[in-house]
């Protein structure tokens, strides 16, 4: 990844991989590979027992689909990542065999994504309960039950602040989802309140919750901690990173004190991800 690979390097790269027969995972993200390079590379890799291939953020579009399908048809399962490229299709014109596939950040329409979901092209159904990680495409707001049916727990960039009451209500009644991703949904403190009041705290089976990359300040974080302390018995991991939680926080205020007290009662969590939340050394030492 990030190694400045230029068009025309595929043959040499394939030959290099052949010299590494035990290689299991190949990362080629964030380079300048084109459709023709991928076609040559996949031909070179056709006899290799590669299990993970990462091609995200290259110059790939629908012209690479035929070579990708041929490559995938000969191996299962394979983890394939083609995120943040220029694909408008993937599940059309011939099915791809089941595999772990990350395709978020492309140019796919809602109809294409629904087709992919129906064909079960993405079968990651243990931890993520059938979630298809197809976020950050051109999907419009829909009902919460429709989103869960097609995309499992990945609401990533699908939902919005106004949907949080409905999401909370769904989680109150759902007994299957163990994972929900609300990353990048423009959720504010008010959205967290709506999520909690809607029924989040009454959920009995949720194990992982992500509200990363939103607009959550200290008030919303405290509301979330209250939900964790008073409910959510199965929850073990929470990601709150990339939110302005501790930006310009008043460390002598009642809200900050309440935050520290609630954090002290969250001992059942095994992961609390607070990167890029405005944590200063002083705040960090208070939390620890």
């Amino acid at each position: 990844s990030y190694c400045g690979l230029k068009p025309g390097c595929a043959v040499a790269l394939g030959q290099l991989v052949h010299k590494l027969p035990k290689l299991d995972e190949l990362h080629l993200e964030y380079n300048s590979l084109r459709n023709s390079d991928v076609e040559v590379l996949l031909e070179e890799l056709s006899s290799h027992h590669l299990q993970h291939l990462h091609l995200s953020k290259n110059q790939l579009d629908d012209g690479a689909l035929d070579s990708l399908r041929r490559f995938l048809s000969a191996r299962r399962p394979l983890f394939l990542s083609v995120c943040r490229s220029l694909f408008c299709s993937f599940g059309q014109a011939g099915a791809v065999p089941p595999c772990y596939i990350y395709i978020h950040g492309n140019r796919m329409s809602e109809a294409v994504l629904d087709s992919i979901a129906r064909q079960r092209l993405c079968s990651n159904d243990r931890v993520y309960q059938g979630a298809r990680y197809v976020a950050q495409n051109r999907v419009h707001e829909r009902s919460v039950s429709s989103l869960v049916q097609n995309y499992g727990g990945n609401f990533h960039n699908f939902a919005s602040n106004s949907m949080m009451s409905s999401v909370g209500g769904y989680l109150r009644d759902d007994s299957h989802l163990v994972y929900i991703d609300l990353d990048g949904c423009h959720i504010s403190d008010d959205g967290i309140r709506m999520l909690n009041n809607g029924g989040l705290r009454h959920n009995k089976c949720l194990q992982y919750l992500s509200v990363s990359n939103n607009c959550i300040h200290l008030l919303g974080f405290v509301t979330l901690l209250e939900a964790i302390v008073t409910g959510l018995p199965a929850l073990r991991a929470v990601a709150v990173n990339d939110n302005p939680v501790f930006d310009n926080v008043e460390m002598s205020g009642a809200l900050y004190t309440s935050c520290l007290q609630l954090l002290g009662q969250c001992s059942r969590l095994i992961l609390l991800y607070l990167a890029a939340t405005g944590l200063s050394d002083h705040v960090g030492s208070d939390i620890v």
Side-chain angles (χ1 to χ4, degrees):
S1 304
Y2 295 95
C3 53
L5 293 176
K6 302 296 183 184
C9 68
V11 173
L13 186 59
Q15 291 172 347
L16 174 62
V17 172
H18 277 302
K19 296 178 180 179
L20 303 168
K22 295 184 179 180
L23 185 69
D24 177 71
E25 192 162 342
L26 180 60
H27 286 260
L28 298 173
E29 306 101 319
Y30 291 88
N31 285 293
S32 301
L33 300 179
R34 297 175 179 171
N35 295 341
S36 56
D37 299 303
V38 169
E39 183 175 2
V40 173
L41 176 63
L42 295 181
E43 186 65 30
E44 291 287 332
L45 295 176
S46 60
S47 60
H48 197 283
H49 299 294
L50 202 66
Q51 295 184 14
H52 300 76
L53 179 60
H54 300 259
L55 294 169
S56 298
K57 200 60 178 178
N58 280 285
Q59 298 174 20
L60 307 181
D61 58 27
D62 288 357
L65 287 177
D66 285 343
S67 55
L68 282 169
R69 287 195 184 100
R70 286 195 300 271
F71 183 71
L72 290 170
S73 66
R75 52 190 67 231
R76 63 176 71 180
L78 172 80
F79 181 101
L80 173 67
S81 172
V82 287
C83 309
R84 297 185 176 90
S85 299
L86 303 174
F87 290 103
C88 295
S89 181
F90 212 94
Q92 309 292 306
V96 177
C99 58
Y100 297 87
I101 182 167
Y102 276 23
I103 53 176
H104 64 280
N106 282 282
R107 300 179 176 182
M108 300 180 192
S109 68
E110 189 170 1
V112 169
L113 294 177
D114 282 348
S115 172
I116 292 171
R118 285 195 300 272
Q119 292 184 48
R120 301 287 191 238
L121 298 186
C122 310
S123 55
N124 196 3
D125 56 9
R126 283 194 177 181
V127 178
Y128 303 117
Q129 293 292 301
R132 266 70 62 184
Y133 203 87
V134 293
Q136 292 180 304
N137 284 282
R138 295 176 177 176
V139 178
H140 303 292
E141 286 188 8
R142 297 186 296 181
S143 71
V144 173
S145 59
S146 173
L147 286 173
V148 172
Q149 180 181 357
N150 280 341
Y151 305 113
N154 284 296
F155 286 28
H156 190 120
N157 272 43
F158 289 162
S160 66
N161 218 30
S162 61
M163 294 178 67
M164 288 304 102
S165 288
S166 298
V167 172
Y170 189 94
L171 290 172
R172 177 192 61 220
D173 302 325
D174 183 82
S175 59
H176 301 289
L177 277 180
V178 297
Y179 168 100
I180 187 164
D181 181 352
L182 293 167
D183 189 337
C185 294
H186 307 286
I187 302 170
S188 66
D189 294 348
D190 196 44
I192 294 295
R193 178 186 58 78
M194 293 163 65
L195 181 68
N196 191 27
N197 290 346
L200 170 67
R201 65 182 182 274
H202 299 299
N203 184 280
K204 304 297 184 186
C205 59
L206 195 67
Q207 297 176 26
Y208 177 92
L209 169 65
S210 172
V211 290
S212 304
N213 193 29
N214 284 291
C215 307
I216 301 167
H217 292 80
L218 185 59
L219 177 60
F221 184 50
V222 168
T223 303
L224 184 60
L225 291 175
E226 288 172 345
I228 295 169
V229 169
T230 60
L232 295 167
L235 193 67
R236 294 296 179 268
V238 180
V240 196
N241 53 290
D242 294 280
N243 280 287
V245 174
F246 298 105
D247 285 0
N248 303 313
V249 67
E250 184 183 347
M251 291 185 289
S252 60
L255 195 60
Y256 181 70
T257 302
S258 178
C259 173
L260 296 180
Q261 290 173 345
L262 289 165
L263 281 169
Q265 300 175 55
C266 294
S267 57
R268 73 171 181 274
L269 292 181
I270 59 173
L271 171 66
L272 178 59
Y273 191 30
L274 292 173
T277 55
L279 274 174
S280 65
D281 290 343
H282 190 102
V283 173
S285 63
D286 282 347
I287 290 175
V288 173

